Amino acid sequence: MADEVKPRVDKSSQKAKQQLVIVTGLSGAGKSAALHAFEDIGFHAVDNLPLTMIEPLVDDRDTIKGPRPIVIGVDSRTLHFSPKSFVEVQQRLRARDDVRLHVLFMDASDDVLTKRFSETRRPHPLSDRQLLRAAIQQERDLMTIVREHIDGILDTSARTSAETRRIIRRRFAKESDNIIVTFMSFGFAHGSPRDADLVFDVRFLRNPHYVPDLKPLTGRDDAVCNYVRADDAFAPFVDKVRDLLTFLMPRYQSEGKAYLTIAFGCTGGQHRSVATAEAVAGQMAVDGLAVNLYHRELSGT
């Protein structure tokens, strides 16, 4: 499973392994955008390769020359696909000492998937004369077992293709011994992020929304930031989160995690969550952590 504790890996031997990413998930969730992003950063990309051909491709050093990493797209359309076969293939790959495997699962809400298929007028691969929502649910049920064997999930419900590609580049562009952490702000009114590893609810802080001069601003503006920071609970909360992350980071790294998403939520995702994410990310960056910021409800950030 994605949250299993993996054995500690010797970094010196790990660098010599063939890097392999399998992108899977639900149809319409952004697999194509993800594969394009991997191509942009130098991966050899292959889409819908039959499951029986994945291991021969990895073994074919004449086709994949040198240390070039490989990304393979696999979903319910893939020839010979079945959840059981997929799990067996990825288990054999994980058992090899010459391959470093990462399985990335692309997901999105049913409403978003329905909208995307309706807008593009493309049939769902499992439609077979049934209603679109029924096909989406059938595929979601089919992929349940697969989700138990992934390393990471990327939910694209509230993300554009460009944002999805940017996240892929940030997470996989550079090999690093340090875990890459994305600090996200969001609004509970728009739904909780399903791809967050840790979620903190900061609605206990006083709300700038009810201050007329602050309401049109965001947590990136100094006036709002100062207002949120002035709450007596803000500084102790940030300190405790920082202590928690300092404790957890080495353990996540020993588990083999390459990246972590930590989300802070308030009501609308405009003020308290943004200010808190900015503050915690800034402190962790000072500690030497590689950090990214993503404000889900703020357009273009």
Side-chain angles (χ1 to χ4, degrees):
M1 293 179 62
D3 57 353
E4 284 183 344
V5 177
K6 299 180 178 63
R8 184 181 296 275
V9 178
D10 181 358
K11 297 292 184 178
S12 61
S13 62
Q14 185 181 24
K15 291 180 180 179
K17 293 184 177 183
Q18 171 68 60
Q19 184 181 8
L20 172 63
V21 177
I22 295 179
V23 179
T24 186
L26 301 183
S27 302
K31 180 167 69 72
S32 295
L35 291 176
H36 291 155
F38 278 107
E39 281 190 299
D40 290 344
I41 58 175
F43 277 70
H44 181 91
V46 184
D47 195 11
N48 287 323
L49 186 71
L51 291 178
T52 55
M53 295 300 296
I54 292 179
E55 290 165 285
L57 175 66
V58 174
D59 290 331
D60 188 355
R61 300 300 182 181
D62 292 331
T63 301
I64 311 298
K65 295 181 179 179
R68 189 178 181 187
I70 306 170
V71 59
I72 300 174
V74 174
D75 60 22
S76 60
R77 299 171 296 167
T78 300
L79 186 64
H80 303 142
F81 178 84
S82 73
K84 182 175 182 291
S85 298
F86 179 87
V87 171
E88 291 173 348
V89 169
Q90 67 88 25
Q91 286 178 336
R92 289 197 297 269
L93 289 169
R94 292 190 193 280
R96 294 175 55 152
D97 59 8
D98 62 338
V99 173
R100 184 167 75 261
L101 175 66
H102 186 103
V103 180
L104 177 64
F105 192 96
M106 307 298 294
D107 198 3
S109 69
D110 289 356
D111 287 341
V112 169
L113 294 176
T114 300
K115 181 180 179 181
R116 288 175 182 171
F117 275 103
S118 298
E119 289 176 344
T120 60
R121 298 185 179 181
R122 295 186 61 191
H124 191 280
L126 299 183
S127 57
D128 194 24
R129 298 182 182 179
Q130 64 179 326
L131 294 175
L132 176 56
R133 282 191 174 271
I136 291 172
Q137 186 58 53
Q138 180 183 349
E139 186 176 42
R140 193 176 292 281
D141 293 340
L142 180 69
M143 302 299 283
T144 298
I145 296 176
V146 171
R147 285 191 60 152
E148 296 177 356
H149 298 271
I150 64 175
D151 299 288
I153 181 170
L154 180 53
D155 190 294
T156 64
S157 299
R159 294 187 171 107
T160 64
S161 294
E163 290 171 337
T164 297
R165 294 169 76 162
R166 186 162 57 246
I167 290 170
I168 296 292
R169 288 195 295 268
R170 286 174 177 173
R171 291 181 175 178
F172 293 92
K174 293 181 179 180
E175 293 285 328
S176 174
D177 290 342
N178 295 321
I179 190 170
I180 299 174
V181 181
T182 297
F183 291 95
M184 172 196 296
S185 69
F186 72 96
F188 282 102
H190 305 286
S192 299
R194 296 187 297 171
D195 54 350
D197 297 288
L198 297 172
V199 176
F200 294 97
D201 184 345
V202 297
R203 288 176 291 186
F204 63 87
L205 298 171
R206 59 179 183 170
N207 195 349
H209 176 81
Y210 298 109
V211 180
D213 290 341
L214 301 181
K215 182 178 178 179
L217 304 178
T218 75
R220 303 187 99 179
D221 293 302
D222 290 341
V224 172
C225 185
N226 292 336
Y227 182 88
V228 174
R229 287 172 179 265
D231 191 307
D232 290 341
F234 181 82
F237 172 74
V238 170
D239 288 342
K240 290 182 183 299
V241 171
R242 184 180 184 181
D243 289 342
L244 175 63
L245 296 181
T246 300
F247 169 77
L248 290 176
M249 286 304 120
R251 288 154 180 81
Y252 281 130
Q253 285 180 290
S254 65
E255 180 194 350
K257 266 187 174 293
Y259 57 85
L260 189 72
T261 300
I262 301 169
F264 297 90
C266 61
T267 304
Q270 300 289 322
H271 300 107
R272 294 168 290 180
S273 61
V274 175
T276 305
E278 294 267 347
V280 176
Q283 291 205 14
M284 298 306 295
V286 170
D287 291 343
L289 194 67
V291 303
N292 294 314
L293 268 169
Y294 172 58
H295 300 301
R296 194 183 73 178
E297 320 304 353
L298 302 187
S299 177
T301 59

